[in-house]
mmCIF file of all heavy atoms in Angstrom:
data_model
loop_
_atom_site.group_PDB
_atom_site.id
_atom_site.type_symbol
_atom_site.label_atom_id
_atom_site.label_comp_id
_atom_site.label_asym_id
_atom_site.label_seq_id
_atom_site.Cartn_x
_atom_site.Cartn_y
_atom_site.Cartn_z
ATOM 1 N N ARG A 701 82.663 72.753 58.091
ATOM 2 C CA ARG A 701 83.730 71.752 58.062
ATOM 3 C C ARG A 701 84.823 72.132 57.212
ATOM 4 O O ARG A 701 85.925 71.588 57.222
ATOM 5 C CB ARG A 701 83.108 70.367 57.529
ATOM 6 C CG ARG A 701 82.222 69.710 58.612
ATOM 7 C CD ARG A 701 81.716 68.412 57.970
ATOM 8 N NE ARG A 701 81.086 67.443 58.879
ATOM 9 C CZ ARG A 701 79.827 67.662 59.221
ATOM 10 N NH1 ARG A 701 79.072 68.622 58.780
ATOM 11 N NH2 ARG A 701 79.295 66.688 60.113
ATOM 12 N N GLN A 702 84.577 73.049 56.206
ATOM 13 C CA GLN A 702 85.534 73.370 55.162
ATOM 14 C C GLN A 702 86.081 74.735 55.533
ATOM 15 O O GLN A 702 85.482 75.534 56.121
ATOM 16 C CB GLN A 702 84.838 73.407 53.825
ATOM 17 C CG GLN A 702 84.327 72.103 53.475
ATOM 18 C CD GLN A 702 83.262 72.161 52.425
ATOM 19 O OE1 GLN A 702 82.958 73.246 51.851
ATOM 20 N NE2 GLN A 702 82.700 71.008 52.041
ATOM 21 N N THR A 703 87.336 74.953 55.031
ATOM 22 C CA THR A 703 88.043 76.184 55.275
ATOM 23 C C THR A 703 87.496 77.262 54.322
ATOM 24 O O THR A 703 86.820 76.959 53.383
ATOM 25 C CB THR A 703 89.553 76.090 54.989
ATOM 26 O OG1 THR A 703 89.677 75.707 53.620
ATOM 27 C CG2 THR A 703 90.158 74.923 55.862
ATOM 28 N N LEU A 704 87.803 78.479 54.708
ATOM 29 C CA LEU A 704 87.339 79.596 53.840
ATOM 30 C C LEU A 704 87.956 79.503 52.449
ATOM 31 O O LEU A 704 87.393 80.033 51.443
ATOM 32 C CB LEU A 704 87.775 80.980 54.362
ATOM 33 C CG LEU A 704 86.828 81.455 55.447
ATOM 34 C CD1 LEU A 704 87.387 82.719 56.095
ATOM 35 C CD2 LEU A 704 85.492 81.775 54.872
ATOM 36 N N ARG A 705 89.100 78.836 52.281
ATOM 37 C CA ARG A 705 89.778 78.807 51.028
ATOM 38 C C ARG A 705 89.301 77.598 50.156
ATOM 39 O O ARG A 705 89.839 77.312 49.185
ATOM 40 C CB ARG A 705 91.303 78.687 51.331
ATOM 41 C CG ARG A 705 92.355 79.246 50.405
ATOM 42 C CD ARG A 705 91.945 79.918 49.155
ATOM 43 N NE ARG A 705 92.228 81.298 49.178
ATOM 44 C CZ ARG A 705 91.384 82.229 48.781
ATOM 45 N NH1 ARG A 705 90.205 81.834 48.353
ATOM 46 N NH2 ARG A 705 91.699 83.455 48.867
ATOM 47 N N TYR A 706 88.386 76.852 50.615
ATOM 48 C CA TYR A 706 87.910 75.541 50.008
ATOM 49 C C TYR A 706 87.685 75.880 48.532
ATOM 50 O O TYR A 706 86.869 76.699 48.137
ATOM 51 C CB TYR A 706 86.659 75.157 50.707
ATOM 52 C CG TYR A 706 86.239 73.722 50.315
ATOM 53 C CD1 TYR A 706 86.815 72.675 50.904
ATOM 54 C CD2 TYR A 706 85.238 73.515 49.393
ATOM 55 C CE1 TYR A 706 86.414 71.394 50.679
ATOM 56 C CE2 TYR A 706 84.877 72.209 49.079
ATOM 57 C CZ TYR A 706 85.482 71.127 49.724
ATOM 58 O OH TYR A 706 85.139 69.844 49.366
ATOM 59 N N SER A 707 88.215 75.046 47.679
ATOM 60 C CA SER A 707 88.093 75.313 46.257
ATOM 61 C C SER A 707 87.250 74.300 45.490
ATOM 62 O O SER A 707 87.045 73.181 46.054
ATOM 63 C CB SER A 707 89.503 75.451 45.626
ATOM 64 O OG SER A 707 90.027 74.156 45.449
ATOM 65 N N GLY A 708 86.908 74.642 44.301
ATOM 66 C CA GLY A 708 86.212 73.704 43.437
ATOM 67 C C GLY A 708 84.745 73.475 43.566
ATOM 68 O O GLY A 708 84.275 72.503 43.082
ATOM 69 N N ARG A 709 84.106 74.294 44.424
ATOM 70 C CA ARG A 709 82.736 73.947 44.716
ATOM 71 C C ARG A 709 81.863 73.888 43.485
ATOM 72 O O ARG A 709 80.909 73.101 43.471
ATOM 73 C CB ARG A 709 82.181 75.024 45.613
ATOM 74 C CG ARG A 709 82.463 74.909 47.115
ATOM 75 C CD ARG A 709 81.828 75.993 47.908
ATOM 76 N NE ARG A 709 82.146 77.280 47.200
ATOM 77 C CZ ARG A 709 81.381 78.336 47.324
ATOM 78 N NH1 ARG A 709 80.294 78.309 48.051
ATOM 79 N NH2 ARG A 709 81.785 79.419 46.733
ATOM 80 N N THR A 710 82.141 74.798 42.510
ATOM 81 C CA THR A 710 81.245 74.842 41.359
ATOM 82 C C THR A 710 81.673 73.883 40.263
ATOM 83 O O THR A 710 81.190 73.903 39.193
ATOM 84 C CB THR A 710 81.116 76.261 40.802
ATOM 85 O OG1 THR A 710 82.437 76.597 40.271
ATOM 86 C CG2 THR A 710 80.740 77.245 41.840
ATOM 87 N N SER A 711 82.723 73.164 40.627
ATOM 88 C CA SER A 711 83.301 72.264 39.492
ATOM 89 C C SER A 711 83.394 70.854 39.923
ATOM 90 O O SER A 711 83.345 69.933 39.007
ATOM 91 C CB SER A 711 84.686 72.849 39.230
ATOM 92 O OG SER A 711 85.429 71.938 38.484
ATOM 93 N N MET A 712 83.439 70.532 41.230
ATOM 94 C CA MET A 712 83.773 69.164 41.595
ATOM 95 C C MET A 712 82.649 68.146 41.172
ATOM 96 O O MET A 712 83.021 66.963 40.857
ATOM 97 C CB MET A 712 84.146 69.038 43.109
ATOM 98 C CG MET A 712 83.108 69.685 44.056
ATOM 99 S SD MET A 712 83.941 70.193 45.631
ATOM 100 C CE MET A 712 84.456 68.520 46.152
ATOM 101 N N ASN A 713 81.413 68.593 41.161
ATOM 102 C CA ASN A 713 80.404 67.724 40.723
ATOM 103 C C ASN A 713 79.910 68.034 39.304
ATOM 104 O O ASN A 713 78.924 67.423 38.849
ATOM 105 C CB ASN A 713 79.124 67.774 41.644
ATOM 106 C CG ASN A 713 79.596 67.335 43.060
ATOM 107 O OD1 ASN A 713 80.262 66.356 43.196
ATOM 108 N ND2 ASN A 713 79.092 68.079 44.023
ATOM 109 N N ALA A 714 80.615 68.918 38.590
ATOM 110 C CA ALA A 714 80.083 69.377 37.336
ATOM 111 C C ALA A 714 80.074 68.302 36.288
ATOM 112 O O ALA A 714 79.366 68.355 35.315
ATOM 113 C CB ALA A 714 80.892 70.568 36.856
ATOM 114 N N LYS A 715 80.905 67.264 36.480
ATOM 115 C CA LYS A 715 80.960 66.205 35.540
ATOM 116 C C LYS A 715 79.583 65.486 35.419
ATOM 117 O O LYS A 715 79.153 65.049 34.423
ATOM 118 C CB LYS A 715 82.115 65.244 35.753
ATOM 119 C CG LYS A 715 82.337 64.332 34.659
ATOM 120 C CD LYS A 715 83.536 63.329 34.921
ATOM 121 C CE LYS A 715 83.912 62.651 33.704
ATOM 122 N NZ LYS A 715 85.042 61.764 33.859
#
Side-chain angles (χ1 to χ4, degrees):
Chain A
R701 285 179 169 85
Q702 297 160 3
T703 62
L704 274 176
R705 212 357 112 232
Y706 193 80
S707 79
R709 279 181 311 154
T710 64
S711 164
M712 50 205 299
N713 299 318
K715 194 176 187 178

